[in-house]
Amino acid sequence: MNGQSPLRLGILGSGKGSNFVAIADACAAGRINAVPVQVLSDVEDAGILAQARQRNIPARYLSPGKFRTRLDEVAEQTWVASLREAQVELVVLAGFMRVLKIGLLSAFAGKIINIHPSLLPAFPGLEAWRQALDYGVKVAGCTVHFVDAGIDSGPIIGQQTVPVLDGDTAATLHERIQVAEHELYPACVGKLAHRGFCVQGRRVLGLSPRA
Amino acid sequence: MNGQSPLRLGILGSGKGSNFVAIADACAAGRINAVPVQVLSDVEDAGILAQARQRNIPARYLSPGKFRTRLDEVAEQTWVASLREAQVELVVLAGFMRVLKIGLLSAFAGKIINIHPSLLPAFPGLEAWRQALDYGVKVAGCTVHFVDAGIDSGPIIGQQTVPVLDGDTAATLHERIQVAEHELYPACVGKLAHRGFCVQGRRVLGLSPRA
């Protein structure tokens, strides 16, 4: 590592938290210069909360408010306050099933990242692996990107490819992409932890090891 | 090789013909079970014609007719007749700058392929490498696909990736993609020469070595 203090991560998830686990393990093993300081979920019994507690990482359920697909404005301020209280420097979405709105986006502008199971800009939206299989691509993959107000549209931090095989079903392709996700997501967090990147237009530069 | 007769290729190009050269050299070296039997161009002094003649491959300029971006109906029938006369089994577009219309598409249905300098379905259309660079992807590449009536929309035969580097300009990325094209295009022609593939929906199956 480079003597900088570890990047303080706040992780938001709604599911089992396999990407969170990959990142937390990379942090714990010292492979990346980051530390998960808070895990928040909109689902009271989400696996990601249990995974965090097993690792002694502060984990909280917070009410999402009255909407189904996003946090309501009041709830959003609670989430922002919680992340700020923990002095979170980077918000990491890990299977968080709600769209972020202006409250969170402006509070952590340029400091929220997500992972998507396709090589964006191909196949944004739901079940990207199934879209890829149906389209007949020979190379699939995953993308880590900054979050903006669009759907899977922010500047790209990293991408990793996997082959599509003749015998693939949606399930087998999804599984192969998830293995790639668990490598790519910690690697991208590690690159951001070096804090030497810049964004020019849509291009995220300065993430390579020599930068 | 597998004892089958070499797949008879008709190549259509408008430019210098670097992909044609890659394919012709792979055929000549016996790396793929195919043989270029005719090269046609809509540009009288196109480099691809000179490259073909250097290799003693029959090469002809044929008039494209009265339009700028496609062959006209009368011209199209001349092109079809020429390819048929040479008993072409697969029509390979190699930098052919005109959109194919129903005359050629129906005469060689399912037997026309093209290469595109992106990982389709991302970045169809012109200067795909520049689109990719401006979008900020970290992985670019090229795609060999069957040609249908759409733009870069047919079933995908093969894809090959290249990294996008921080220092890339449109020119350096284009050059890297072209190197990949010169590997991918002969490889895909070689797979089709095994004649064991099938198309299910949009998926082209049976191209892997074990098929």
Side-chain angles (χ1 to χ4, degrees), chain A residues 135 138 159 166 202 204 206, chain B residues 135 138 159 166 202 204 206:
Chain A
Y135 195 91
K138 298 295 184 186
Q159 297 186 297
D166 273 9
R202 290 190 51 89
V204 184
Chain B
Y135 194 90
K138 298 296 183 184
Q159 298 186 297
D166 271 11
R202 289 190 52 90
V204 184

Side-chain angles (χ1 to χ4, degrees), chain B residues 12 69-71 76 79 91 93 96-105 108 112-114 147-151:
Chain B
L12 275 51
T69 60
R70 59 182 182 95
L71 305 178
E76 206 167 32
W79 288 61
V91 177
L93 305 187
F96 189 60
M97 296 309 287
R98 289 171 187 270
V99 176
L100 301 192
K101 292 295 177 183
I102 189 68
L104 255 161
L105 289 175
F108 290 91
I112 309 178
I113 66 174
N114 194 15
V147 174
D148 63 16
I151 300 290

Side-chain angles (χ1 to χ4, degrees), chain A:
Chain A
M1 294 303 165
N2 54 12
Q4 285 182 311
S5 57
L7 187 67
R8 297 174 66 84
L9 310 177
I11 292 107
L12 274 51
S14 309
K16 64 188 195 312
S18 67
N19 271 310
F20 158 68
V21 166
I23 292 168
D25 288 354
C27 293
R31 292 200 303 275
I32 63 177
N33 188 28
V35 56
V37 294
Q38 184 165 82
V39 173
L40 299 179
S41 181
D42 59 325
V43 177
E44 206 154 2
D45 60 352
I48 194 171
L49 293 175
Q51 290 284 2
R53 290 177 186 130
Q54 279 178 19
R55 289 167 172 75
N56 294 315
I57 298 166
R60 300 170 68 181
Y61 160 77
L62 286 179
S63 166
K66 62 192 179 212
F67 300 122
R68 267 175 41 129
T69 60
R70 60 183 182 95
L71 304 178
D72 74 24
E73 288 75 5
V74 177
E76 205 166 32
Q77 290 315 312
T78 312
W79 288 61
V80 167
S82 182
L83 294 165
R84 281 190 169 146
E85 194 185 314
Q87 296 180 281
V88 163
E89 296 174 286
L90 183 71
V91 177
V92 177
L93 305 188
F96 189 61
M97 297 308 287
R98 291 170 187 270
V99 177
L100 300 192
K101 293 295 177 181
I102 189 68
L104 254 161
L105 290 175
S106 62
F108 290 91
K111 294 174 180 172
I112 309 177
I113 67 175
N114 194 15
I115 190 162
H116 181 78
S118 79
L119 295 175
L120 290 170
F123 314 122
L126 295 176
E127 297 205 323
W129 58 90
R130 192 184 302 274
Q131 296 182 51
L133 195 73
D134 291 347
Y135 195 91
V137 294
K138 298 295 184 186
V139 178
C142 50
T143 301
V144 174
H145 61 90
F146 287 109
V147 174
D148 62 17
I151 301 290
D152 307 322
S153 60
I156 292 173
I157 298 158
Q159 297 186 297
Q160 189 163 325
T161 64
V162 304
V164 180
L165 306 179
D166 273 9
D168 269 334
T169 61
T172 60
L173 179 58
H174 187 199
E175 188 176 5
R176 193 175 307 118
I177 291 171
Q178 284 186 311
V179 171
E181 287 183 24
H182 299 161
E183 293 174 11
L184 180 67
Y185 215 175
C188 287
V189 170
K191 287 176 175 179
L192 295 178
H194 282 100
R195 298 175 172 85
F197 66 94
C198 65
V199 182
Q200 290 180 3
R202 290 190 51 89
R203 295 182 71 187
V204 184
L205 303 175
L207 294 175
S208 54
R210 65 187 174 282

Side-chain angles (χ1 to χ4, degrees), chain B residues 149-168:
Chain B
I151 300 290
D152 307 322
S153 60
I156 291 172
I157 297 158
Q159 298 186 297
Q160 189 162 326
T161 64
V162 304
V164 180
L165 305 180
D166 271 11
D168 269 334

Side-chain angles (χ1 to χ4, degrees), chain B residues 4-10 33-35 37 83-84 86-92 107-113 146 192-193 195 197:
Chain B
Q4 286 182 311
S5 58
L7 187 68
R8 297 174 66 83
L9 310 178
N33 187 28
V35 56
V37 294
L83 294 165
R84 281 191 170 145
Q87 295 180 283
V88 163
E89 297 174 285
L90 184 71
V91 177
V92 177
F108 290 91
K111 295 174 180 173
I112 309 178
I113 66 174
F146 287 110
L192 295 178
R195 298 173 172 85
F197 67 93

